[in-house]
Amino acid sequence: MKSEARSVGLPTTDWAAHAEQELKRAGHRSSAPRSAVVEVLGRQGCVLSAREIADELRADGRDVGIATVYRALELLDELHLVQRLDVGEGTVRYEPAHPSGEHHHHLVCDSCGRVSSFEDRDLERAIAHLAGRLDYQVGGHDVVLRGACPACSSA
Amino acid sequence: MKSEARSVGLPTTDWAAHAEQELKRAGHRSSAPRSAVVEVLGRQGCVLSAREIADELRADGRDVGIATVYRALELLDELHLVQRLDVGEGTVRYEPAHPSGEHHHHLVCDSCGRVSSFEDRDLERAIAHLAGRLDYQVGGHDVVLRGACPACSSA
DNA sequence: CTATAAGTGAGAATCACTATCGCTCGCGGG
DNA sequence: CCCGCGAGCGATAGTGATTCTCACTTATAG
């Protein structure tokens, strides 16, 4: 099978190291708070909100101001090192973006709100083909499927 | 050509009348403020935020409380008479949803923020096919392409 | 080692949206 | 046609996420 729902969480290999490197290359200093944010993102691998990141850091005993978390995420987003995901519940989530360009999309459960991911070559192909036909400079895309996750639909 | 970017704005035929009818059928009273919201949505046909709707109404001299606009939109959303679109700028936009099930997706310009729409049969087919293969009860989907609109990319 | 500007963080400000609550009015029964 | 009641309204307070401000800290070039 080419595509299937799975719980969020990619291999992550060394996204964190890559991100640090890109930050440096873009002329940014390294700092403990920002590195901590990068590390948490890399460790979790899945969609996280700014608050979740801050909470995670606090649990680790590394208090980082929420403003700093937002700033780090904004910066990472500018450098295309993270992917923003807004599923419409008022909070934006972020996840590491792999430089390979390989990416996935999301399934959002309407009842429990849980997010999972999938990837599908055919879908990517359809989008790429479509983008070529549009009179538009397409740079990226997001696909969100909504429905009931296995747990909720069986309950 | 099967698909092409165009400015937002569908024929609209008589979405407003249809919506009113559905509201009545669902056991809701008719009221001037809510009808006004429906009318604005139907008239514009394109993605509108709650605030934009309220402003439009105020310009028409029909002041409608912002809370009422939100309530009307929530109701319309529950009845699947509108489609929510969250392009990630902190405000949710709505547009009429046509009962035919026919729908379109959106292009968001990263520089000017303008939203336009497109439809593509192949994309729909890819998503439908994909949904069938996933272990997930897929009920709907959103696709957002990001990039530079013709105006911005030529500038 | 030192200057300096990037980066930090506490808290205020903003903004979209939701909850509250007394008042209004559409509408079915009389 | 009139009445009563509960759906609906709207001003306003509240909430929660995100951004702004500003004085303080610290990484790094020289």
Side-chain angles (χ1 to χ4, degrees), chain A residues 20 22 38 42 48-49 54 62 69-70 75 82 87 93 95 101 117 122 133 137-139 143 153-155:
Chain A
E20 294 281 11
E22 287 299 305
V38 168
L48 286 173
S49 68
R62 293 182 289 181
V69 175
Y70 279 108
L75 192 52
V82 292
V87 293
R93 312 277 259 293
E95 69 183 2
S117 67
D122 289 343
R133 275 177 294 147
Q137 200 73 34
V138 177
V143 178
S153 63
S154 68

Side-chain angles (χ1 to χ4, degrees), chain A residues 93-149:
Chain A
R93 312 277 259 293
Y94 296 83
E95 69 183 2
H98 289 268
S100 57
E102 162 233 320
H103 63 269
H104 55 264
H105 295 293
H106 299 87
L107 293 156
V108 180
C109 178
D110 285 333
S111 48
C112 71
R114 206 174 303 269
V115 176
S116 47
S117 67
F118 68 88
E119 42 191 284
D120 186 69
R121 188 170 299 279
D122 289 343
L123 176 60
E124 299 301 330
R125 197 178 303 128
I127 290 173
H129 188 233
L130 162 65
R133 275 177 294 147
L134 294 172
D135 174 22
Y136 213 93
Q137 200 73 34
V138 177
H141 60 264
D142 294 318
V143 178
V144 176
L145 304 189
R146 298 168 185 285
C149 69

Side-chain angles (χ1 to χ4, degrees), chain B residues 19-50:
Chain B
E20 294 281 11
Q21 189 181 326
E22 286 299 305
L23 282 168
K24 183 160 296 175
R25 167 148 41 181
H28 295 282
R29 290 185 190 169
S30 93
S31 78
R34 188 152 59 206
S35 295
V37 171
V38 168
E39 190 212 307
V40 168
L41 272 169
R43 168 147 42 95
Q44 295 287 120
C46 68
V47 286
L48 286 174
S49 68

Side-chain angles (χ1 to χ4, degrees), chain A residues 28-29 31 33-34 64-65 68 71:
Chain A
H28 295 280
R29 291 183 188 170
S31 77
R34 187 152 59 204
V64 171
T68 298
R71 272 187 297 243

Side-chain angles (χ1 to χ4, degrees), chain B residues 7-25:
Chain B
S7 58
V8 173
L10 292 178
T12 308
T13 49
D14 248 311
W15 173 83
H18 169 70
E20 294 281 11
Q21 189 181 326
E22 286 299 305
L23 282 168
K24 183 160 296 175
R25 167 148 41 181

